[in-house]
Amino acid sequence: MSRPKTLRKVVAPPNFKGYKPYGTHAGTRDSVELLYEEYEAIKLADYDLMNHLEASKLMGISRPTFARIYETARRKIAKAFVEAIEIKTVYGDALLDKHWYVCDDCQTRFTIPKTIEEHQCPLCKSEQIELLNT
Ligand SMILES: [Zn+2]
């Protein structure tokens, strides 16, 4: 079986197109572009409070790659906050599938093809996975 090009999975796409600061002096056209995979890294690590290993598995990438994406994401967000500039989310390298699966045991949502082929949850290895949408 050939190994596909690494796909940086986004477990769930963001619910927004971007963030805009308010109450700042107008005029700056500057913005930071946050990739979906960077959004996802922040969400998994800082919102879902996963450790980097778990998060990297969910995204289908290595732990060092996850750490790099996460670091980039934090720096972009910090820049946006400090300089009061817009954050734009862009598609990036992430793969957004139509088909979402949920693990009945740990409630993880995922779209990782390899895991789906094996009928396994990427986190807890449960085989109780269900297609969320069609
Ligand atoms: Zn699971």
Side-chain angles (χ1 to χ4, degrees):
M1 200 174 86
S2 72
R3 195 182 153 87
K5 188 179 180 298
T6 303
L7 299 170
R8 289 161 187 178
K9 302 303 304 186
V10 170
V11 177
N15 289 324
F16 55 85
K17 286 192 172 158
Y19 272 99
K20 241 182 190 169
Y22 69 95
T24 64
H25 297 294
T28 177
R29 286 278 176 84
D30 215 358
S31 66
V32 293
E33 288 189 340
L34 196 68
L35 303 178
Y36 275 10
E37 68 209 54
E38 291 165 348
Y39 161 85
E40 183 70 7
I42 292 284
K43 177 184 173 290
L44 295 177
D46 292 335
Y47 182 82
D48 295 331
L49 303 178
M50 276 182 196
N51 67 43
H52 286 192
L53 187 63
E54 288 174 330
S56 66
K57 280 184 188 166
L58 259 188
M59 289 177 73
I61 56 180
S62 71
R63 195 176 177 283
T65 302
F66 177 85
R68 189 171 47 75
I69 293 170
Y70 176 67
E71 186 62 29
T72 306
R74 292 184 74 132
R75 286 182 189 184
K76 286 182 179 179
I77 290 169
K79 179 181 164 74
F81 273 132
V82 172
E83 298 179 17
I85 55 181
E86 277 181 51
I87 299 173
K88 290 178 177 165
T89 45
V90 296
Y91 191 87
D93 297 332
L95 184 69
L96 291 172
D97 295 328
K98 282 182 192 145
H99 300 290
W100 291 86
Y101 289 80
V102 64
C103 170
D104 284 341
D105 290 327
C106 72
Q107 307 306 313
T108 293
R109 290 171 183 227
F110 60 95
T111 61
I112 302 168
K114 185 175 177 289
T115 305
I116 291 163
E117 282 166 27
E118 292 169 358
H119 296 281
Q120 265 192 0
C121 167
L123 265 198
C124 73
K125 307 292 177 206
S126 164
E127 293 183 0
Q128 305 302 310
I129 62 172
E130 234 182 279
L131 185 62
L132 276 179
N133 55 354
T134 51

